[in-house]
Amino acid sequence: MPVRTTGGTGPVATTNPAPQETDETVGHETTEPVADKGPGPDDARHPSPDDARHLNSPLLLTLLLLTAVMLQGPIRGALSAPVMQSWMTVFVAVMVQALPFLVLGVLLSAAIAVFVPPSFFARALPKRPALAVPVAGVAGAVLPGCECASVPVAGALVRRGVTPAAALAFLLSAPAINPIVLTATAVAFPGDPEMVLARFVASLLVACAMGWLWHRVGRTDWLRPPDRPTYEGQGKGAAFWGSVRHDVTHAGGFLVIGAMAAATLKAVVPEEWLRAAAGNPVFSVLALAVLAVLLSICSEADAFVAASLTQFSLTARLTFLVVGPMIDLKLFAMQAGTFGRAFALRFAPATFALAVVVSALTGTVLL
């Protein structure tokens, strides 16, 4: 529609102007469409993020490959060093042991989140948190996995409305008192069957005590799980696999970080320190407690490692078996990723101290 003028004055706005006229006619001056503009100097200096990503990613990959090819001699020599061989052995062992149970825990977590209604937990657990804690602790015996499986399941329980004290008791007891772990312990200590009972009693006591402690002094702002994507409006199958993909990516990253830290510390701790600590009853307990944290061995395999440490007493080895499934490097990283760093920084030291004391007392009485 042409612009109507009155008495030679400026343009008079018309009702419902056409978009093309408004875009191209401003005060009798014509402007070219934006799409016709060529790239100006400002655009060259400030590329869009998408352009930068498309341009830089292949370039960085090419530079990385060229650097690896040029330095392949020094890299091959560094990887063949005994320290690096030890590091890679521990890292691969931790990952191979933990990944199947991490996947199991993620599948259970997704199943709980999608298929189990929140009312189920309200009926299954006592109303009072003080009574729900031991029930959840004993329920940990039914999860056939290690700590990598129990962390995502405990996170799902909290999201489904279970009191955090009960979920944390389950988190600590499940990797230590389930049938697979107890059977492995019996096989590893064929001449000391009392080790199975001692491990069950000490682990359950620590799990319940930590649940009660959290109920008494824990604060809601310490427990801040990260945001999760919502799957409302999707089918149960899509929601299930969406939850699985999210948890595998999230928890798997922290597992890799923990495994790398465990491998690094295992490669640099001298074995002479272990032999020196084994001669003192108090130091032997503390040494194996710290070693359990550093090695980050899966609870299905830690009994065989403990059985091989014959220079240490049974009580010290019991401490190794109780502490490891409750707090180690990879578990700390996964707890921080699942429940928040503020939670892990408070929960992990308290769990370590209580596990050392309870396992030492239990070993003194039963072993």
Side-chain angles (χ1 to χ4, degrees):
M1 179 183 296
V3 178
R4 179 171 51 88
T5 60
T6 304
T9 59
V12 178
T14 61
T15 59
N16 300 327
Q20 64 272 16
E21 294 177 358
T22 305
D23 292 338
E24 298 178 2
T25 306
V26 179
H28 298 294
E29 294 182 4
T30 58
T31 58
E32 296 180 359
V34 176
D36 294 337
K37 287 186 177 182
D42 291 339
D43 295 330
R45 289 194 300 268
H46 302 286
S48 66
D50 291 338
D51 293 339
R53 182 172 62 252
H54 290 307
L55 290 175
N56 293 337
S57 297
L59 178 61
L60 291 177
L61 180 60
T62 302
L63 292 177
L64 180 62
L65 293 176
L66 289 176
T67 302
V69 171
M70 294 174 62
L71 301 177
Q72 58 179 322
I75 292 175
R76 188 182 296 112
L79 293 178
S80 62
V83 173
M84 287 303 302
Q85 293 290 329
S86 175
W87 188 94
M88 288 187 291
T89 299
V90 174
F91 175 77
V92 172
V94 171
M95 293 299 298
V96 170
Q97 290 174 354
L99 272 178
F101 299 102
L102 173 63
V103 173
L104 172 63
V106 166
L107 293 175
L108 290 175
S109 172
I112 291 172
V114 175
F115 299 108
V116 180
S119 59
F120 170 80
F121 301 105
R123 297 192 303 266
L125 293 176
K127 299 293 184 181
R128 298 178 58 185
L131 297 178
V133 166
V135 173
V138 175
V142 302
L143 178 64
C146 69
E147 56 271 25
C148 299
S150 64
V151 172
V153 173
L157 293 177
V158 173
R159 292 190 297 270
R160 301 300 279 176
V162 174
T163 177
L168 296 178
F170 176 88
L171 166 69
L172 296 179
S173 67
I177 67 172
N178 69 73
I180 295 179
V181 170
L182 296 180
T183 301
T185 305
V187 173
F189 292 88
D192 302 292
E194 63 274 11
M195 182 66 81
V196 179
L197 176 62
R199 182 174 193 176
F200 177 87
V201 171
S203 299
L204 185 58
L205 286 176
V206 175
C208 293
M210 285 302 301
W212 286 322
L213 181 63
W214 177 266
H215 175 60
R216 295 283 297 179
V217 303
R219 291 167 46 182
T220 305
D221 58 344
W222 293 347
L223 193 64
R224 294 183 176 179
D227 295 333
R228 294 170 55 87
T230 59
Y231 303 101
E232 296 181 0
Q234 300 184 11
K236 290 187 178 295
F240 176 81
W241 291 113
S243 180
V244 168
R245 288 192 297 270
H246 175 272
D247 284 352
V248 166
T249 303
H250 188 76
F254 286 98
L255 174 61
V256 171
I257 294 174
M260 292 175 64
T264 301
L265 292 172
K266 175 63 173 64
V268 300
V269 173
E271 295 184 3
E272 292 78 8
W273 292 8
L274 298 180
R275 289 194 293 266
N280 187 291
V282 177
F283 287 162
S284 64
V285 170
L286 294 176
L288 286 195
V290 174
L291 186 65
V293 175
L294 300 183
L295 291 183
S296 303
I297 303 175
C298 180
S299 60
E300 269 75 15
D302 60 358
F304 300 97
V305 176
S308 67
L309 300 173
T310 54
Q311 66 268 43
F312 290 89
S313 65
L314 286 177
T315 299
R317 286 183 276 178
L318 174 64
T319 304
F320 180 88
L321 296 177
V322 174
V323 171
M326 295 188 175
I327 177 60
D328 58 30
L329 291 178
K330 71 176 185 302
L331 186 56
F332 176 83
M334 293 178 66
Q335 287 178 358
T338 302
F339 298 107
R341 187 174 60 179
F343 165 83
L345 290 175
R346 293 171 174 85
F347 190 75
T351 302
F352 176 82
L354 189 60
V356 171
V357 173
V358 172
S359 58
L361 294 176
T362 304
T364 303
V365 174
L366 297 180
L367 298 179

